Amino acid sequence: MKRIIAIASACALCLALGACSDGGDSSAPEDEPAYEKRSTVEYSVADAVGEYKQGDLSGASYRVAVPADTGDDELKAVFSDVVAGDGYDVHTLWFYSDARLTDGSEAFDVASAVQEAPDSDPVLIPAGEDAKAKAQAALASKGDG
């Protein structure tokens, strides 16, 4: 009887300590993402993801709505949040001032961010005044919503 209790205790201890696990980190819940959000602004991402090739690298493009006055550091933080763990090597994001513009019918009116090498920082390109004016005209024609 003592032997059965000792074996049962050893098994329970093994399970509690995670010594019998597959080597994963048992301290974090499995349903919790490993990435911690960096951005502090509200943003929304269009459902459609564009896929492309850049040589041997796989790329993804996203259309993202952010506040029109979002600064460069915050745009880079949103970029990091959007692309985190997506499995693509390089990325292009187009930032729009309104979610209604993320359908792709207009050019970006805030900025674009292009990452040309895996794990590199994106290069931000601010939208020109012409693109901003066209986007505002498009929003006016779309109405309130």
Side-chain angles (χ1 to χ4, degrees):
M1 183 70 164
K2 289 182 182 179
R3 186 175 178 128
I4 293 173
I5 293 173
I7 292 172
S9 295
C11 287
L13 182 61
C14 180
L15 291 173
L17 294 177
C20 297
S21 72
D22 62 356
D25 181 6
S26 62
S27 63
E30 288 183 40
D31 59 344
E32 213 174 282
Y35 180 80
E36 186 173 326
K37 183 179 174 191
R38 293 181 52 206
S39 66
T40 59
V41 297
E42 292 291 320
Y43 65 89
S44 63
V45 182
D47 291 334
V49 176
E51 294 184 359
Y52 62 94
K53 288 296 224 181
Q54 183 175 304
D56 292 337
L57 302 174
S58 64
S61 62
Y62 300 91
R63 293 184 305 270
V64 183
V66 295
D69 61 351
T70 303
D72 289 358
D73 289 342
E74 194 63 35
L75 289 173
K76 287 181 179 181
V78 172
F79 178 96
S80 295
D81 290 348
V82 170
V83 306
D86 71 357
Y88 293 93
D89 300 316
V90 292
H91 304 88
T92 302
L93 270 67
W94 293 286
F95 294 105
Y96 297 85
S97 63
D98 191 289
R100 293 174 289 170
L101 297 172
T102 62
D103 63 2
S105 61
E106 298 297 324
F108 63 90
D109 69 329
V110 175
S112 68
V114 180
Q115 178 191 45
E116 293 189 4
D119 300 320
S120 67
D121 285 337
V123 174
L124 293 176
I125 303 164
E129 292 304 315
D130 205 31
K132 291 177 184 180
K134 286 181 182 178
Q136 290 307 307
L139 279 176
S141 70
K142 292 180 185 226
D144 288 335

